Amino acid sequence: MAQENVNVVARIRPLSNESNDGTCIETDPISSTITLTTNQKQFNMDKVFEQNATQEEIFGYVQPLIATVINGIHGTIFAYGQTGSGKTHTMIGSDENHGIIPRAIEMIFIALNEESEKRNDNFKFKISCTALQIYCEKTYDLLNGNEKIEIPISDIFKNAKEVEVKSSDECMEILKCGLEQRKVSGTSMNETSSRSHAILTLTLKTEYFKENKKHERISRLNMVDLAGSESRKHTNNNKTQNFEASNINKSLLTLGKVIREIINPTQNQVISYRSSKLTMILRDSLGGNSKTTVIVNIHSNSKHATETSSTLDFAVNVKNVKNTAILQEFITSKETLALMQYCTPAFFHSQICIKTVTEVQRLGEENDKLKIELAKEKKINRITNKVCKFRLLF
Ligand SMILES: Nc1ncnc2c1ncn2[C@@H]1O[C@H](COP(=O)(O)OP(=O)(O)OP(=O)(O)O)[C@@H](O)[C@H]1O
């Protein structure tokens, strides 16, 4: 269970023609460095994608993370950056030019269907999805058809509507319907500006038998399209948009604060995950049990130099966050499976049961070891008795 840093990749969007002020950065893709030309400050990333990078190239970079989710490890990909920097373009894209989410869904279905064909009947899988939005510090379920019902944050994934999907097309159809409920509005910075953070989660359950043992894996892939930070200087917002922007900025500031707390812990400090809905949901992805990639989207026009600088500061900080991703596998022996027949299916699938099963399995294994030791001891006793009898004869 090795610790691993959050992986951070920068994607520079093409310069917009809002002004002819040129760019505020220089990039070196070989050393993955971005230099802010206003103060020559250098920022080191794990990878830098320049303006002409395609959606395929970006997806190619996150493919290994998706492969690990397919193999039973939790994963998170999230896009961070100022408004209009290309987060939704990167995560969702358009019908003609798919972003990470539709490509990831397709990859997962292809991989699991192939595995299923390869192993004949000895491989089953189930995929389900949830879609949430955090709008003005309230969490809503994008799949329940009623955007007005706020869902309680305590155990959010249990409270969210989870829909089982049988194909990538079905999954995309459902998520698209959900995303249509998302709060979006036209601002002076972006005609289709997201006013909420969207969190789409796929849960993958796979099972197969090996050496009379059932191997079950349950992993989650969180794909997050954050709302973008906004500077009042560059927007011409109405009252509602200003209220939304201040909530977005507040939750992004909390995200930054939590990250600074994780990387610079002080004695007895409790990380303030609970200070915002976003950090509560991303808790496992930042300093927890997940493999995480953050894509920082950069709007490099010179007039956005201050926002670009703060995005790059965020990138450098989040790169120092360490996660410990653990294989989410439950192995059950034939004996335990037999025992489980006495449980109701609901009980069987509950967390409690999984814990009980793991405990029963652990005790079973301990029992097997004890039996072997006992057998060895009996054998030694028999030999000792024989030696004693033999000695008595002489
Ligand atoms: N790499 C890119 N190549 C081509 N067009 C891009 C790229 N990145 C962004 N755009 C375009 O810029 C506009 C704004 O992008 P997008 O909506 O993805 O920004 P955003 O960061 O999600 O903004 P917000 O935070 O306001 O929702 C869109 O029209 C999008 O198509």
Side-chain angles (χ1 to χ4, degrees), residues 11-14 16 50-55 58 79-91 93-94 97 182-185 187 189-196 225-230 248 297-299:
R11 182 182 197 182
I12 323 292
R13 63 154 283 171
S16 62
E50 296 190 276
Q51 296 184 18
N52 54 359
T54 61
Q55 299 281 65
I58 307 291
Y80 179 97
Q82 75 168 107
T83 181
S85 57
K87 299 179 295 294
T88 307
H89 177 73
T90 300
M91 294 306 293
S94 60
N97 202 2
R182 191 180 177 193
K183 297 275 182 188
V184 172
S185 78
T187 66
M189 284 290 294
N190 185 1
E191 273 175 33
T192 50
S193 178
S194 311
R195 315 309 289 163
S196 67
D225 178 19
L226 294 179
S229 54
E230 278 179 28
I248 295 168
N297 290 88
I298 291 167
H299 203 337

Side-chain angles (χ1 to χ4, degrees), residues 112-208:
L112 292 177
N113 276 319
E114 271 179 13
E115 195 65 18
S116 185
E117 268 173 38
K118 209 164 74 191
R119 300 206 204 183
N120 293 322
D121 278 344
N122 188 18
F123 186 84
K124 285 187 196 145
F125 71 90
K126 249 189 202 175
I127 299 177
S128 53
C129 59
T130 58
L132 306 170
Q133 71 168 337
I134 304 172
Y135 175 70
C136 293
E137 260 319 272
K138 292 194 164 95
T139 313
Y140 299 97
D141 194 333
L142 291 171
L143 299 189
N144 75 358
N146 189 345
E147 56 169 305
K148 293 194 181 73
I149 301 177
E150 195 192 341
I151 38 176
I153 194 79
S154 55
D155 219 344
I156 195 118
F157 289 106
K158 260 193 196 155
N159 294 316
K161 181 172 175 184
E162 195 173 4
V163 182
E164 191 184 333
V165 281
K166 298 281 182 204
S167 68
S168 54
D169 285 348
E170 187 192 355
C171 185
M172 262 327 287
E173 209 49 51
I174 287 169
L175 292 179
K176 255 189 188 172
C177 283
L179 287 168
E180 276 164 20
Q181 315 283 320
R182 191 180 177 193
K183 297 275 182 188
V184 172
S185 78
T187 66
S188 53
M189 284 290 294
N190 185 1
E191 273 175 33
T192 50
S193 178
S194 311
R195 315 309 289 163
S196 67
H197 306 304
I199 301 117
L200 309 185
T201 303
L202 296 185
T203 305
L204 281 57
K205 294 182 186 167
T206 62
E207 64 173 65
Y208 63 92

